[in-house]
Each structure stands twice: as C-alpha cells, then as structure tokens.
DNA sequence: GATTGCGTCACCAAATCTGGTGAGATTTTC
DNA sequence: GAAAATCTCACCAGATTTGGTGACGCAATC
C-alpha cells in the first residue's frame, strides 16, 4: 500500500514542486494539497493521510496550530514541518504539537523522500543543526529548575531528595538510587517538610512543582 | 586563562589518553583525574574546574548522579558525558542532570577538543545520531501529554476524588469534605491507582497534573 | 428481569510514611 | 580552634496508605 501524503503549503511553486516529487516516487501517493489552514482542517480529517507536509506560515493561521488539531483527530498521521527558518521556538512548539519531523525548504528532493520514509519508521527526521537547537532549548528548560524563593532554605541534598520525590519515587527507591539508608532519606524528608511547612509527601511535591 | 578540565573515568587507558590530549592542547589545563564517583565528588567541588569530562559507568555509582551533584554545587561548570554507548535513557537523564554535552568514546581527538570549545561557547555538542535520539524521546514524552486516555476511564466520582488528592488533601480530609467514610475514599483511591497504573498517591497526583 | 457499572461501607494485614530523639563524621564558617 | 551546618544512620511509636475481600443499594442498560 502506498504512503498517502497531504500537503499544506500556501506558496504555489513549492506546493507544485512537492506534488511532483510525490507523484514521481513509486510508493508515494498525493492525498490532497491545501493552500491554507482552514481548508486543511476541513479536508484532511476525512482523508486520513499517512503523512502531512506542513508549512508553518499560512495565510490564515499557523501550521503549528493546524498540526495540533490534526494530531488530535488523527493521532496516527505523521506531520512533517516544512519551513524556511529554523526558529528554535517554532521547532519546540511544533514538536509539542505533535510534529514528527522538521525539514528545511532548501532540503534536496532525496532528503525529503528519505525523511518521509524514516518518519514512517518512527524516527524524527531533522537536520543536525535543528536537533542541536532543540536540545539546547530543552537543556535551558531543565536548567531553569535552579532557582526559586521558598526552596532556597533547602540544602543541596534536600533539594536533590525533593526532586526525586517529585518524580513519584517511594522512599525506598530514593534511598537505593542515592545509595543511602532509608532512615537518612526519612530524615531529609522530615526537614524538607519542616522547611516547606507541609505535612505530607503530596504537599511537598505540589509545593515544589508550583515554584517551578 | 586556560580552560581547566577534570576527568572522571575508571578506565586507566582512556583516562591517560584524555589527560595527554588535554596537556598537549595549549589553552587546556588538566585540573584533576578521578577514578570513581566518590573521589570526584570529594575533589572536584574544591577545584571548580571549567569542564568535567564524565564517564557514566563508574565502579561506585553513575556518572549521571555525579553530574547532578556537581552541577548543583558548581552551576557554571560544564559537564561533558563521555561514554561508549548511546543509550537513549542515559542521554535523557544526563541532560536532565545538567550535562552540556554527550560524546562517544570513539570520537576523534580533534572532535573532543572542538567539542569542549563549543561547549564553552554555550553549545550542546553531540553527534547527530545522539541528538536525534534525544529528540525522539522528547517527542514521545510530549506526545503522551496530548490527550488523557487513562483519565477517561475514571468515573465522575473518582475524578472528583483525584482532584482533591491533587490539592494535597489527606484521605481523612477528603472523606469529611465529601461526607463519606474514609473507607470509601480508600476504595476510590484503589480504583484510581488501578486505572492510572500507579502505586502511590504521589504518582497519581503527578499523572493527573501531567495530563492537564 | 438480569446484568452491569457506580458509589457506598466494613474489616483486615502489610507496607509505608510521619515525626521524635540522639548521635557520629565532615565541612564550612567565623 | 570553636561553632554551626550538613549529611549520615539508628531506633521507635503512631498514623496513614496500599491492597485484598466482600457486600449492599441504586440506576441504567439490555
């Protein structure tokens, strides 16, 4: 069975180019070609293509919004973002919306074809440069966990324990992960509760997640 | 000022190799060379090197734990994970722990040197293959945040109890707020855990907060 | 009219958590 | 060098949570 592909792209030249590429590839099949978000959301859900090639800058909205909508209705459909700029925030949001690939428009035909095939295999095709950008932004998000006011009174170790707590680990597991005794973990927990003015694990976790 | 670099690596051959590489590079300076996690956590905080090259498989613990500890004490120190395998879960955890790079041991000398320099510039050096893997796991995490399949199976009452749970209330309080017995609340909790595939209050709360 | 799902309650055992006391070893700070 | 902070561990008692079994009434569904 051929891979059915829909295109959402407002630029007629680029849309034609991709259309031709799809028609020329033996096991690819063009499902439909939309010029804006509105018609994409109207036609694609009924067609349920395997793949959607999605432009970000559409005349009547963002391809990221469209991606989120389509993925909600068709979770199995893979969306490949296809754009000119490698804007970090866009990439991040696109992945969050459920996109499975992020290609630049200057990519070669063979890259596009192989990326679609790889995407169907469960990979997340993108250039190394884009991948690095995403990781950087991911990295920064994690790093921002650093500072917060109420948590300031906690010692490094206590914060460490609290973070494990906030992942849902039971005491026993925290102890083994940090190679310390259960008693020690409990001591830390008691002090954490005291400092955060809470009386249970759940409250401590909620307080921690709040201040993030 | 030269870039001071500490090595944490249990394999003597590899440690020597990297040591030599650092000493041969003009603006690099070897800060210290630790053979296990314990000595790393003992010596590195005092030395405050610019960069730590960290092995994951240490005889007395994980380099990821060590990374988290070091980053907590020395937030400005950049940690480069240096390992044989490109295990997705390890990579993910390493980045979460605050690592800024992930290199394979089979990398060339010039790659290692340039990666360290790039890392000092704020980049997150890693091979394209590793980057893709991380994004895939990121993608899967995000994708699961989409809709709430598990939550849908909860009855209205169960969801109600779960929401109170997620505010940090203890069982007793939930019972009195809803004018039902503690036993009933516990029954609901048991069913909630079963449906959400969790085994503790904390996990249930986290799952609930995630899917929001 | 039987089945099924839901909400309620009870009893019970084992595991876990909360909270208290005390205390040795280190490191940091003054 | 003394004092304070941190991390570690132990022991203990009571509260809470987890998980299992069983059961009753009610409503909706079939």
């Amino acid at each position: 069975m051929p891979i059915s592909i829909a295109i959402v792209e407002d630029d007629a030249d680029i849309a034609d180019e991709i259309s031709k590429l799809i028609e020329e590839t033996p096991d690819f099949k063009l499902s439909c070609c939309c010029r804006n978000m509105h018609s994409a959301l109207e036609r694609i859900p009924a067609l349920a293509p395997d793949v959607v090639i999605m432009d970000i800058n559409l005349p009547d909205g963002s391809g990221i919004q469209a991606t989120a909508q389509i993925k909600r209705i068709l979770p199995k459909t893979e969306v490949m973002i296809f754009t000119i700029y490698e804007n970090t925030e866009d990439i991040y949001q696109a992945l969050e919306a459920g996109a499975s690939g992020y290609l630049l428009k200057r990519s070669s035909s063979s890259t596009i074809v192989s990326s679609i095939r790889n995407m169907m295999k469960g990979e997340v095709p993108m250039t190394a440069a884009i991948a690095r950008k995403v990781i950087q932004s991911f990295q920064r998000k994690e790093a921002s966990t650093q500072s917060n006011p109420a948590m300031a009174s906690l010692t490094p170790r206590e914060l460490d324990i609290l973070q494990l707590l906030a992942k849902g680990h039971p005491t026993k597991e925290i102890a083994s992960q940090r190679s310390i005794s259960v008693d020690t973990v409990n001591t830390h927990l008691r002090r954490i509760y005291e400092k955060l003015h809470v009386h249970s694990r759940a409250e401590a976790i909620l307080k921690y997640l709040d201040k993030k």
Side-chain angles (χ1 to χ4, degrees), chain A:
Chain A
M1 208 165 72
I3 298 171
S4 64
I5 302 169
I7 300 172
V8 184
E9 168 65 65
D10 64 323
D11 184 314
D13 290 343
I14 295 175
D16 279 358
E17 217 173 289
I18 305 293
S19 296
K20 268 183 203 158
L21 178 62
I22 292 171
E23 279 163 352
E24 281 166 6
T25 307
D27 57 333
F28 284 8
K29 191 177 134 251
L30 185 62
S31 172
C32 79
C33 193
C34 311
R35 286 293 149 84
N36 55 55
M37 186 170 85
H38 197 72
S39 90
L41 292 177
E42 221 163 47
R43 296 164 60 195
I44 291 179
L47 296 166
D50 299 313
V51 171
V52 176
I53 291 176
M54 177 76 72
D55 186 23
I56 284 192
N57 289 105
L58 298 172
D60 60 341
S62 151
I64 294 173
Q65 288 167 35
T67 300
Q69 298 262 6
I70 288 172
K71 284 297 284 189
R72 198 163 299 125
I73 303 165
L74 306 169
K76 286 181 184 171
T77 295
E78 305 286 358
V79 179
M80 169 81 75
I81 300 292
F82 194 61
T83 187
I84 305 174
Y85 313 102
E86 40 185 304
N87 176 292
T88 311
E89 193 48 37
D90 279 353
I91 300 167
Y92 206 84
Q93 285 186 11
L95 289 174
E96 218 168 288
S100 305
Y102 202 101
L103 271 189
L104 294 181
K105 287 192 179 171
R106 57 173 172 271
S107 306
S108 68
S109 300
S110 63
T111 302
I112 295 171
V113 171
S114 66
S115 290
I116 290 173
R117 285 195 211 289
N118 287 337
M119 192 166 71
M120 295 300 289
K121 283 188 215 151
E123 276 189 36
V124 182
M126 58 184 61
T127 65
I130 291 177
R132 288 211 176 80
K133 286 202 168 193
V134 174
I135 295 189
Q136 267 184 61
S137 96
F138 164 79
Q139 177 72 359
R140 270 195 293 276
K141 273 202 177 178
E142 292 298 335
S144 68
T145 310
Q146 290 293 325
S147 63
N148 41 39
M151 236 60 79
S153 62
L154 295 181
T155 66
R157 192 52 152 180
E158 284 162 358
L159 188 61
D160 177 43
I161 303 288
L162 179 56
Q163 280 165 353
L164 290 175
L165 203 69
K167 286 187 182 172
H169 298 297
T171 306
K172 216 197 282 182
E173 223 173 278
I174 297 176
S176 92
Q177 270 197 36
R178 287 293 175 267
S179 307
I180 57 179
S181 88
V182 170
D183 284 315
T184 305
V185 177
N186 277 322
T187 302
H188 286 310
L189 289 183
R190 247 179 298 118
R191 292 190 185 137
I192 290 169
Y193 296 165
E194 207 178 325
K195 287 181 181 175
L196 298 186
H197 307 291
V198 298
H199 300 283
S200 73
R201 219 157 242 259
E203 284 186 287
I205 292 172
L206 290 170
K207 196 145 208 165
Y208 173 74
L209 293 180
D210 251 18
K211 314 277 171 172
K212 237 178 42 159

